[in-house]
């Protein structure tokens, strides 16, 4: 199904539950960035609620060519899936060996890169079949991954982003991420769009937009309150951000969440 024929058009007429109309069900965790200086602070406003497999420990999310790709984690349960973004129907799936804990993913042409948490292994996959083509070793932990059109951008849970060659996965540079001069650690799932890098901040329900040239955070988004308290039992943190091509909207979800949220970012 094409993006415009499915997700895009359906979102225009989809009913948004009343609990999201003013979104006053807020949650601020101990990891909250807060309001700093002149950096714009926006809020995620829900335009549509979509299904999400609540058994998915979401680590990577990307929407490309009308297909939603999702990488999940946990030992013995990590998978890479291709999904229909409207229905959540699984179009294809490849499981990782039980010794690998899946983390971020990104599409690069006819390939998909998938990284692992502490195993130091990146898997290059065929985009069509999702099957593994080769493995590349790297140093340190793997958390998030995205492709900016010319290079890969990778997080490792620190305040640093590492740039990598999309063909070889070799590191080509790095940048330290700061907000008003202070490091922003716990950078997790990433999304490259419009020359900027969006990141989930682990342990919070906030997102940051990063200028990859300087490492400076130039926008903070409050995404708290998306998942109602009545549905939080057995769930984990917010994690997963995918830009909706051709729009200014995003898909957001969390680990073991029952919903995927299509949102736009608006001033608070």
């Amino acid at each position: 199904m094409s993006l415009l024929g499915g997700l895009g058009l359906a979102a225009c007429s989809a009913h948004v539950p009343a609990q999201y109309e003013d979104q006053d069900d807020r949650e601020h965790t101990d990891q909250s960035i807060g309001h700093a200086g002149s950096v714009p602070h926006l809020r995620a406003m829900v335009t549509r609620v979509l299904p999400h497999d609540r058994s998915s420990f979401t680590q990577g999310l990307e929407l490309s060519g009308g297909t939603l790709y999702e990488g999940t984690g946990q030992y013995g349960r990590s998978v890479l899936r291709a999904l229909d973004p409207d229905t959540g129907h699984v179009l294809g799936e490849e499981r990782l060996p039980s010794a690998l804990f899946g983390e971020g993913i990104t599409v690069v042409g006819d390939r998909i890169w998938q990284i692992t948490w502490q195993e130091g292994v990146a898997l290059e996959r065929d985009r069509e079949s999702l099957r593994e083509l080769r493995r590349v070793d790297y140093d340190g932990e793997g958390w998030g991954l995205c492709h900016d059109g010319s290079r890969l951008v990778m997080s490792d849970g620190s305040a640093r982003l590492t740039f990598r060659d999309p063909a070889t996965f070799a590191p080509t540079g790095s940048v330290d991420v700061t907000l008003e001069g202070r490091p922003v650690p716990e950078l997790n799932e990433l999304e490259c769009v419009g020359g900027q890098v969006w990141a989930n901040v682990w342990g919070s329900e906030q997102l940051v937009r990063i200028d990859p040239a300087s490492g400076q955070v130039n926008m903070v988004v409050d995404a708290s309150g998306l998942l109602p308290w009545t549905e939080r039992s057995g769930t984990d943190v917010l994690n997963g951000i995918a830009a909706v091509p051709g729009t200014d909207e995003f898909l957001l979800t969390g680990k073991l969440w029952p919903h995927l949220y299509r949102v736009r970012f608006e001033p608070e």
Side-chain angles (χ1 to χ4, degrees):
M1 179 182 294
S2 71
L3 183 63
L4 294 179
L7 183 62
L9 292 180
C12 296
S13 59
H15 173 67
V16 178
Q19 68 204 49
Y20 301 110
E21 289 179 357
D22 56 14
Q23 293 190 306
D24 57 2
D25 176 21
R26 294 172 173 234
E27 176 192 18
H28 295 280
T29 73
D30 291 339
Q31 298 294 327
S32 177
I33 293 171
H35 287 63
S38 60
V39 175
H41 282 66
L42 279 66
R43 183 153 182 80
M45 305 300 294
V46 176
T47 62
R48 191 177 179 210
V49 181
L50 298 161
H52 181 248
D53 180 358
R54 71 171 305 152
S55 70
S56 293
F57 197 77
T58 306
Q59 303 287 58
L61 201 67
E62 187 163 328
L63 185 60
S64 181
T67 298
L68 181 64
Y69 298 95
E70 181 176 30
T72 73
Q74 296 184 322
Y75 292 110
R77 299 180 62 186
S78 297
V79 301
L80 175 64
R81 286 174 175 160
L83 305 160
D84 181 314
D86 280 315
T87 66
H89 176 68
V90 177
L91 306 175
E93 177 179 295
E94 283 290 316
R95 293 189 171 275
L96 277 71
S98 60
L100 298 181
F101 191 117
E103 286 280 349
I105 64 167
T106 196
V107 175
V108 182
D110 61 358
R111 299 288 189 267
I112 296 176
W113 280 106
Q114 181 175 29
I115 55 177
T116 55
W117 180 30
Q118 295 182 319
E119 292 73 53
V121 174
L123 292 79
E124 186 182 34
R125 297 182 177 277
D126 176 74
R127 179 176 173 180
E128 182 67 25
S129 66
L130 305 184
R131 67 182 179 87
E132 181 183 330
L133 300 176
R134 63 169 172 152
R135 298 185 183 185
V136 178
D137 294 335
Y138 59 83
D139 294 328
E141 293 188 358
W143 285 42
L145 190 68
C146 66
H147 181 232
D148 70 1
S150 61
R151 60 187 176 178
L152 300 173
V153 184
M154 179 173 160
S155 62
D156 61 6
S158 70
R160 175 170 293 182
L161 296 177
T162 299
F163 307 120
R164 295 182 177 276
D165 185 289
T168 66
F169 211 77
T172 60
S174 65
V175 66
D176 292 325
V177 177
T178 60
L179 173 62
E180 300 291 330
R182 302 188 310 275
V184 182
E186 311 284 6
L187 298 174
N188 200 359
E189 216 269 300
L190 305 179
E191 177 76 353
C192 294
V193 60
Q196 304 288 289
V197 179
W198 287 92
N200 283 267
V201 179
W202 185 84
S204 80
E205 295 205 344
Q206 291 181 314
L207 313 171
V208 293
R209 190 181 70 181
I210 305 159
D211 177 354
S214 65
Q216 294 180 3
V217 170
N218 52 37
M219 185 175 291
V220 177
V221 173
D222 179 3
S224 64
L226 293 181
L227 184 65
W229 285 108
T230 54
E231 298 184 78
R232 285 183 175 266
S233 178
T235 65
D236 208 301
V237 297
L238 174 79
N239 198 51
I241 176 171
V244 180
T247 77
D248 60 356
E249 297 188 339
F250 293 82
L251 299 178
L252 301 180
T253 192
K255 303 174 189 289
L256 310 177
W257 283 24
H259 307 297
L260 185 72
Y261 298 93
R262 179 162 172 160
V263 303
R264 61 177 181 271
F265 301 148
E266 297 184 349
E268 292 187 314

